[in-house]
């Protein structure tokens, strides 16, 4: 038979034990909470940013590190690829074919964009995939005639799709490209010679109306030949920077 004292002392032992367990449990809860909080903070989310493509002359793939980013998806049309040569320079001016220049530039642009974490489709001029094509942006890459035109025959030109359901997006893509391309290549915009072939570019009517699209003439194959042939990396970086400006909603110029 248990005495009163015994049962009292037993109760106090259980009391101390219960308090100890409670204390241990609450320490555990705090530890678990803290662990959850710390692990739920993104390790890279705040610091993650695209590495600027601004150049040191190294290869595109070596300049940027891909980090966790939204899933950007962009299409690049290689002007005339799979169809014809495009503009051709006479032998006296190197015999260059526009389609070859376009391909080199588009391929390098693709490398820059991939290094920034963007999924890229390289498309032919009349690619079957252009029908209903949907992505964050479509840029068709061309180069301008090798013929000598009276007056000023240097510079680049850009036109946007008019059939777009989101014209403000296409305009922003165009303005981003104009700004970044001029900054990287040093070429000026040549707005006076934008042709119907550009404003009514066939692919604008084929792609999905939600896809903002532009066509760029990267420079004249005679006057701007040094840039197009010797520095295609700069041409590509100008285009890639313009596309990233659009995708990342960067201010187009420092004043904006
Ligand atoms: Zn062309």
């Amino acid at each position: 038979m248990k005495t009163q004292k015994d049962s009292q002392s037993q109760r106090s032992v259980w009391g101390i034990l219960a308090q100890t367990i409670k204390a241990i449990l609450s320490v555990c809860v705090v530890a678990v909470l803290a662990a959850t909080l710390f692990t739920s903070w993104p390790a890279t989310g705040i610091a993650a940013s695209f590495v600027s493509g601004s150049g040191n002359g190294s290869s595109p793939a070596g300049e940027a590190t891909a980090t966790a980013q939204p899933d950007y998806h962009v299409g690049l049309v290689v002007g005339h690829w799979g169809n014809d040569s495009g503009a051709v320079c006479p032998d006296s001016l190197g015999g260059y074919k526009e389609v070859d220049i376009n391909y080199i530039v588009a391929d390098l642009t693709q490398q820059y964009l991939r290094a920034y974490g963007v999924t890229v489709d390289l498309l032919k001029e009349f690619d079957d995939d252009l029908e209903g094509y949907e992505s964050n942006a479509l840029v068709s890459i061309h180069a301008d005639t090798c013929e000598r035109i009276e007056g000023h025959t240097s510079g680049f030109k850009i036109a946007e799709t008019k059939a777009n359901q989101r014209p403000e997006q296409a305009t922003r893509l165009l303005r981003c490209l104009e700004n970044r391309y001029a900054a990287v290549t040093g070429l000026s915009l040549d707005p006076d010679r934008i042709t119907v072939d550009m404003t009514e570019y066939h692919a604008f009517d084929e792609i999905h109306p939600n896809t903002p699209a532009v066509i760029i003439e990267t420079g004249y194959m005679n006057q701007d030949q040094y840039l197009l042939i010797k520095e295609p990396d700069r041409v590509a970086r100008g285009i890639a920077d313009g596309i990233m400006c659009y995708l990342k909603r960067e201010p187009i110029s420092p004043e904006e």
Side-chain angles (χ1 to χ4, degrees), residues 79-80 84-87 98-99 102 125 141-144 215-217:
H80 306 275
D84 63 296
S85 302
E98 183 197 338
V99 66
N102 297 340
E125 182 66 72
I141 298 171
H142 285 253
D144 229 316
I215 177 171
I216 179 168
E217 298 275 3

Side-chain angles (χ1 to χ4, degrees), residues 140-153:
S140 182
I141 298 171
H142 285 253
D144 229 316
T145 179
C146 206
E147 288 170 26
R148 210 163 260 281
I149 303 169
E150 280 302 303
H152 181 73
T153 52

Side-chain angles (χ1 to χ4, degrees), residues 3-194:
T3 62
Q4 187 74 13
K5 199 178 173 216
D6 281 341
S7 90
Q8 264 180 354
S9 84
Q10 206 165 36
R11 267 206 303 274
S12 66
V13 166
W14 280 114
I16 290 164
L17 201 61
Q19 272 180 359
T20 310
I21 289 168
K22 240 168 98 179
I24 290 168
L25 274 178
S26 63
V27 167
C28 285
V29 167
V30 169
V32 167
L33 265 177
T36 309
L37 269 176
F38 281 114
T39 51
S40 64
W41 283 340
T44 55
I46 297 164
S49 62
F50 287 105
V51 174
S52 163
S54 56
N56 53 11
S58 62
S59 70
E63 281 194 15
T65 48
T67 48
Q69 295 296 328
D71 290 333
Y72 294 129
H73 183 190
V74 164
L76 301 174
V77 176
V78 183
H80 306 275
W81 184 31
N83 192 60
D84 63 296
S85 302
V88 179
C89 289
D91 289 345
S92 60
L93 286 171
Y96 299 109
K97 291 177 182 163
E98 183 197 338
V99 66
D100 297 333
I101 295 172
N102 297 340
Y103 191 89
I104 291 167
V105 168
D107 186 50
L108 289 167
T109 306
Q110 173 180 240
Q111 288 182 50
Y112 273 115
L113 291 172
R114 281 185 175 164
Y116 296 150
V118 178
T119 303
V120 182
D121 300 318
L122 270 197
L123 300 159
K124 292 179 178 167
E125 182 66 72
F126 292 98
D127 207 297
D128 289 344
D129 288 346
L130 282 171
E131 196 60 49
Y133 182 79
E134 268 188 287
S135 71
N136 296 108
L138 179 86
V139 177
S140 182
I141 298 171
H142 285 253
D144 229 316
T145 179
C146 206
E147 288 170 26
R148 210 163 260 281
I149 303 169
E150 280 302 303
H152 181 73
T153 52
S154 169
F156 69 95
K157 304 186 296 197
I158 309 182
E160 66 192 287
T161 171
K162 286 178 178 164
N164 201 280
Q165 277 178 0
R166 297 146 73 204
E168 73 287 352
Q169 303 277 27
T171 300
R172 214 187 115 69
L173 174 61
L174 176 137
R175 295 201 53 226
C176 267
L177 260 171
E178 278 179 357
N179 180 277
R180 299 301 193 268
Y181 191 78
V184 174
T185 63
L187 280 194
S188 319
L189 184 67
D190 179 17
D192 300 331
R193 292 192 188 84
I194 292 175

